[in-house]
Amino acid sequence: MAEKLKIISLGGLNEIGKNMTVYEFGGDIIVVDAGMGFPDDDMYGIDVVIPDFSYLIQNRDKVRGIFLTHGHEDHIGSIPYLLRNVNAPIYATGMTAGLVKLKLEEHRLLDKTKLVTVKAGQTIRAGKFSVEFIHANHSIADAVCFAIRCPVGVCVHTGDFKIDPTPIQGGMMDLGRLGQLGKEGVLALLCDSTNVERPGFARSERSVGASFDALFNGCEQRIIVTTFASNVDRIQQVINVAARYGRKVAVTGRSMENALRVSTELGYMDVPEGVIVDVSHIKSLPKNKVCIITTGSQGETMSALTRMAFSTHRQVEIQAGDRVIISASAIPGNENAVGNVINELCRKDAEVVNERLGALHVSGHACQEELKIIHALVNPKFFIPVHGEQRHLKTHAKLARDMGMDPRNIIISDIGRVIELTPGSIRLNGTVPAGRVFVDGYGVGDVGAVVLRDRRHLAQDGMIVVVLSMSNEDGSLISGPDIITRGFVYVKESEELIEELRRVTLEALDRCSRTHAKDWAAIKAEVKNDLSGFLYKKTKRNPMILPVIMEI
Ligand SMILES: [Zn+2]
Ligand SMILES: [Zn+2]
């Protein structure tokens, strides 16, 4: 029996976020991307969501390398958490490596980690695998596709991409190389499905520049632009147009400042001399000489634009007439936050220009016609749609069938499912642990479903604590019950209710003293039960009830 190639997604299927794919052959493993996701609205207190790495931890001795397609958080965000458990070299292009380096510094992992910068066109050996880096276009500089070789065959893993014939820098995606690989024979294609529902082609990044120009031309007010911090080509275009109209540019927001620093240091951005000024200098400039580039395109609470809008930014105050350009679309789930910021900006008489009013944003992901070009060039034997929710994966499978692919050669997988490949076959066979791990502050994985359920409960209905001191000798009540509420009712106005809760508690205690005195667990259960029944009848609310008994 010949060895099989296994492909296992630990994230990025049936979700957009926390992308991670494992390739395994002959005792060697390589990992493509290690992303994070953001919590849903009801995951109280959770900062980020990362993939369940159990499978990699169990097999840590086999991991030969972590290969990164590009520097977006949904592809690199969980690296610090992965590295705590699995020590393997990281291979990435310059821009991606620059962003990873910031992360490693922050988590004090830089010294312990081997971070290798690779150029598009180069090939890295890792155990029985070799990985070729192929230049791609995306909404961040220096994105790549991978051609992953092992004795079973070649897999093309696109990562996130679009085909941009007129990118700002870096040149058009290397379609020629993908075509060559297709001619030589590709076993499997794993392809970005994000925009598979959109017909046609994604517009070129360059087209946004013309929109900026129209908004800067003749404007006598200050201009404030927000976009994704990682989109250095977009930032470059803002800087170019600002320089053209004689404006100075100030950058605010930590991730934006980081992106600017990394990309200029590494040569991904070209900033004309004297254009950038410190944000503290803008006060001394005339309005028509000011351009501020800021974070906050998603209405993030702590971002610079949100702070400006709500007057909590230390250096920039919104002035009437400021032209605020939102060069981004709201990621699903962020619409309300973005709406709140826009309303607040309008309240201060700023002029807000967002995507709906102009061509101010283009997507970084391939639309249908671009996907078809990739399928045609790569011409794979097998196809695995990735980077999408179920509906994207299904639509992408249909696109492949419409192009003539045998449905039996297409696999829609799920996280944790093992795809087995031989040179002539593909099938799902077995599963490995996979899922979501919650990060809350320094805690990784300690907050699970039960804790989240409690937090939801507390958030919805609040909490009532009943404190009792009881005798260790005969089980009699020594003091209390004291009733403390949090997030339930305003105590001062409901003394009556609190009094009734005391009465219900005393009745329960009285009953218990006759049947099971000193059985603390049973007493707590009865108190809790009686109180919750009473409260529900009285208020139709269901707070969390915590009886606390102090034995004296
Ligand atoms: Zn991306
Ligand atoms: Zn992505």
Side-chain angles (χ1 to χ4, degrees), residues 4 34 47:
K4 295 179 171 105
D47 302 317

Short mmCIF file of all heavy atoms in Angstrom, two decimals, residues 4 34 47:
data_model
loop_
_atom_site.label_atom_id
_atom_site.label_comp_id
_atom_site.label_asym_id
_atom_site.label_seq_id
_atom_site.Cartn_x
_atom_site.Cartn_y
_atom_site.Cartn_z
N LYS A 4 -0.41 7.61 1.62
CA LYS A 4 -1.38 8.60 1.14
C LYS A 4 -1.01 9.98 1.64
O LYS A 4 -0.35 10.14 2.66
CB LYS A 4 -2.77 8.23 1.65
CG LYS A 4 -3.28 6.91 1.08
CD LYS A 4 -4.66 6.57 1.62
CE LYS A 4 -5.24 5.38 0.90
NZ LYS A 4 -5.21 4.16 1.71
N ALA A 34 -2.01 30.03 10.01
CA ALA A 34 -2.42 29.82 11.40
C ALA A 34 -3.19 31.08 11.82
O ALA A 34 -2.65 31.99 12.41
CB ALA A 34 -1.20 29.60 12.30
N ASP A 47 -11.76 37.54 23.53
CA ASP A 47 -11.01 38.46 22.69
C ASP A 47 -10.86 37.92 21.28
O ASP A 47 -11.13 38.60 20.31
CB ASP A 47 -9.63 38.73 23.29
CG ASP A 47 -9.75 39.28 24.71
OD1 ASP A 47 -10.60 40.15 24.91
OD2 ASP A 47 -9.00 38.83 25.59
#
